[in-house]
Amino acid sequence: GDTSPPYKGISPRIFMVAISVLQAVAIIPVTFYYITTVLKFNKSNILPDMERYLKESASPIQIQIGLSRSQQELETTIDKQAEIIQSLQHHNQVLARRIMSLHKQIKV
């Protein structure tokens, strides 16, 4: 086998140490940047997409949990659930369009 040093005057051990140091110099700042970015994001307490969408929608939808006592209350609850389902379906369509546009941008 060829045991000659990769560069004249540098032993293989020194060469490997130099490569390891270069890797550490590149990895450590990136890791700290990633950690600080994640910590800032977590501190911002951003609401999930659906909660933001419901808060921004024109008619606020309140979710009721429990048993209804009258037929009118039952119908009201069903209507509210239908509104929530429609809102979720609309939000799903919006997200699907965003995904498709991002997918098209990646292909270009």
Side-chain angles (χ1 to χ4, degrees):
D2 186 15
T3 58
S4 63
Y7 297 104
K8 282 190 171 181
I10 300 176
S11 71
R13 181 174 292 173
I14 298 291
F15 183 75
M16 291 304 292
V17 168
I19 294 296
S20 298
V21 167
L22 286 174
Q23 287 177 342
V25 166
I27 289 172
I28 290 172
V30 171
T31 303
F32 281 119
Y33 174 76
Y34 174 77
I35 290 171
T36 55
T37 303
V38 168
L39 289 175
K40 286 178 186 176
F41 178 80
N42 289 340
K43 285 181 183 178
S44 67
N45 293 326
I46 296 175
L47 293 174
D49 287 343
M50 193 62 223
E51 286 184 33
R52 278 187 281 157
Y53 176 74
L54 288 175
K55 283 188 176 188
E56 294 169 0
S57 67
S59 61
I61 300 170
Q62 296 180 356
I63 300 172
Q64 293 181 352
I65 300 174
L67 298 175
S68 298
R69 295 188 182 196
S70 71
Q71 183 67 23
Q72 180 64 30
E73 289 177 15
L74 180 60
E75 289 175 5
T76 303
T77 302
I78 291 172
D79 288 341
K80 288 180 181 179
Q81 288 177 346
E83 288 178 25
I84 292 170
I85 290 170
Q86 287 175 347
S87 295
L88 290 171
Q89 287 173 339
H90 174 72
H91 186 67
N92 193 23
Q93 290 171 354
V94 169
L95 290 177
R97 279 181 265 171
R98 282 179 55 194
I99 289 171
M100 292 302 290
S101 69
L102 290 173
H103 185 66
K104 287 179 184 176
Q105 288 176 4
I106 290 172
K107 283 188 173 184
V108 172

